[in-house]
């Protein structure tokens, strides 16, 4: 077959030997096209407690807390990329949004700040949880309505240290995402499903992501539309939908629906630290395993995720008795 067909000219040959390099993308700036909304919750709201679980480390390129207490988020919505800024003023949540997804983000604002959450369904049965609930009346469980933006970082957090996962998320979003619309040039919108699918293997490697986790992300983005439908489902059914993808198990699905669906009962079974923390707080048993953790949380059936949030917020965690797990640098392999 050699010689029957002339080889296709390369881009370098077509351009006379000079390979065209695309111009660097500049982040949108200014406040043109800004949308606004004000919403007053009928209960006390702590913005940091509500939206804090959406932040993936201090260097998360999709999330920033400003010195004035406002929260900035960049998301890929069904309508396109969008940036949201929320600040609490005189008991009201005042929001600004930019980009094609601005209207979607503003419409989702009450749910994101916990409008659909029902803390009244939680009855403390331990003194520690009762005291923490009194001290944290502004805790509300968020519901973003977006699955992939919580699913992918949760996959990256599987069986690695937190610092490793945060670094991977930061490098991949900055390297393959796009500058977020709006005035904050430090924010990035995570890649769309097709871009995730086109990330070369060596870029995953440089970000410290092994083949097992990167393959799980690739399988997930191939069915992104079907997975995003889970945001409108009852949490149990949503988890079943997610766990149909090989590589997504109970821990990953729980971590996702806690954020995307506002699931108050989704327990992160399989977590490295959580069973010991719950066991220590509720029974003085820092060696507790998943089975014992679930037994201790049984009185809070229906609200077990809220119970674990309150335990973590109480600060009543066991003292460290061993060195931190050493991070792996697979990029050096």
């Amino acid at each position: 077959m050699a010689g029957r067909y002339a080889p296709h000219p390369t881009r370098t040959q077509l351009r006379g030997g000079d390979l065209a390099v695309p111009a660097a993308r500049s982040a949108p700036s200014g406040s043109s096209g800004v949308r606004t909304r004000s919403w007053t919750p009928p209960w006390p709201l702590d913005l940091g407690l509500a939206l804090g679980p959406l932040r993936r480390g201090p260097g998360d390129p999709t999330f920033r807390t400003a010195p004035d207490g406002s929260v900035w988020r960049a998301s890929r919505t069904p309508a396109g990329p969008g940036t949201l800024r929320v600040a609490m003023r005189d008991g009201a949540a005042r929001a600004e949004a930019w980009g094609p997804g601005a209207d979607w983000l503003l419409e989702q604002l009450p749910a994101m700040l916990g409008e659909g959450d029902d803390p009244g369904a939680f009855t403390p049965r331990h003194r520690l949880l009762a005291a923490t609930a009194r001290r944290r009346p502004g805790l509300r469980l968020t519901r973003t309505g977006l699955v992939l933006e919580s699913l992918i970082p949760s996959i990256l957090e599987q069986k690695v240290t937190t610092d490793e996962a945060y670094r991977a998320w930061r490098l991949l979003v900055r390297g393959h995402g796009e500058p977020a619309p709006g005035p904050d040039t430090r924010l990035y919108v995570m890649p769309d499903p097709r871009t995730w699918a086109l990330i070369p293997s060596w870029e995953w490697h440089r970000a410290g992501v092994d083949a097992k986790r990167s393959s799980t992300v690739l399988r997930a983005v191939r069915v992104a539309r079907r997975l995003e439908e889970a945001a409108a489902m009852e949490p149990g059914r949503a988890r079943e939908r997610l766990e149909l993808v090989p590589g997504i198990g109970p821990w990953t699905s729980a971590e996702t629906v806690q954020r995307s669906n506002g699931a108050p009962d989704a327990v992160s079974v399989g977590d490295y630290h959580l069973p010991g923390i719950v066991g220590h707080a509720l029974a003085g048993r820092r060696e507790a395993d998943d089975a014992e953790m679930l037994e201790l949380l049984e009185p809070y059936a229906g609200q077990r995720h809220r119970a674990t949030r309150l335990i973590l917020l109480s600060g009543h965690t066991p003292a460290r008795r061993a060195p931190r797990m050493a991070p792996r640098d697979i990029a050096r392999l």
Side-chain angles (χ1 to χ4, degrees):
M1 298 294 292
R4 289 187 58 184
Y5 302 102
H8 293 291
T10 64
R11 289 177 61 197
T12 305
Q13 291 169 334
L14 285 173
R15 298 178 184 275
D18 295 322
L19 180 63
V21 178
R25 295 176 300 179
S26 58
S29 60
S31 58
S32 59
V34 63
R35 307 281 197 275
T36 61
R37 178 179 182 178
S38 181
W39 178 69
T40 303
W43 22 257
L45 173 66
D46 187 316
L47 201 60
L49 291 181
L51 299 181
L54 304 178
R55 186 179 193 176
R56 305 292 181 156
D60 186 348
T62 70
F63 190 109
R64 188 174 73 84
T65 302
D68 63 359
S70 61
V71 172
W72 292 75
R73 290 195 67 234
S75 296
R76 186 170 296 282
T77 76
T83 300
L84 178 71
R85 175 186 180 271
V86 189
M88 295 300 297
R89 298 290 183 268
D90 301 321
R94 306 188 186 278
E96 300 171 286
W98 296 264
D103 291 336
W104 190 95
L105 288 170
L106 293 178
E107 183 179 354
Q108 185 70 14
L109 179 69
M112 192 181 302
L113 297 182
E115 181 186 42
D117 187 28
D118 182 16
F122 178 78
T123 303
R125 300 183 183 276
H126 293 80
R127 183 177 301 175
L128 175 69
L129 296 189
T132 307
R134 284 195 304 270
R135 291 197 306 268
R136 302 285 191 168
L139 173 64
R140 290 296 186 279
L141 302 182
T142 186
R143 179 172 187 164
T144 64
L146 298 170
V147 172
L148 241 60
E149 73 168 22
S150 292
L151 175 62
I152 292 177
S154 295
I155 293 171
L156 296 178
E157 291 171 9
Q158 292 175 350
K159 300 185 183 302
V160 295
T161 65
T162 303
D163 288 344
E164 287 176 88
Y166 289 165
R167 175 181 178 273
W169 174 247
R170 183 170 65 249
L171 292 177
L172 292 169
V173 171
R174 285 181 178 167
H176 302 277
E178 59 186 275
D184 194 328
T185 58
R186 288 167 289 186
L187 290 175
Y188 281 75
V189 179
M190 77 169 196
D192 59 26
R194 184 174 184 275
T195 303
W196 281 113
L198 293 177
I199 296 177
S201 60
W202 56 86
E203 290 291 340
W204 292 102
H205 192 76
R206 287 172 180 167
V209 181
D210 55 49
K212 183 176 180 180
R213 287 179 291 151
S214 62
S215 297
T216 301
V217 173
L218 296 180
R219 285 190 291 266
V221 297
R222 290 190 189 108
V223 290
R225 183 180 61 83
R226 296 286 287 164
L227 295 184
E228 289 292 354
E229 293 173 356
M233 296 178 177
E234 181 271 334
R237 290 187 56 231
R239 295 185 65 179
E240 291 175 0
R241 172 72 64 88
L242 297 180
E243 291 176 24
L244 290 174
V245 178
I248 297 177
W251 183 88
T252 307
S253 69
E255 289 285 312
T256 301
V257 301
Q258 287 167 7
R259 298 163 172 84
S260 61
N261 296 55
D265 195 49
V267 186
S268 302
V269 174
D271 192 89
Y272 186 76
H273 299 287
L274 190 60
I277 293 173
V278 172
H280 174 76
L282 301 185
R285 285 271 305 155
R286 64 178 297 158
E287 295 83 9
D289 56 13
D290 282 328
E292 188 170 351
M293 175 182 70
L294 293 176
E295 183 179 349
L296 291 170
L297 292 174
E298 183 59 32
Y300 302 106
Q303 294 285 316
R304 293 177 297 177
H305 170 52
R306 189 189 308 279
T308 60
R309 283 289 309 276
L310 289 170
I311 289 171
L312 293 170
L313 289 171
S314 74
H316 192 72
T317 57
R320 188 178 301 277
R321 294 194 303 195
R324 293 179 181 270
M325 182 185 296
R328 300 171 303 165
D329 187 1
I330 71 169
R332 293 180 179 273
L333 299 180

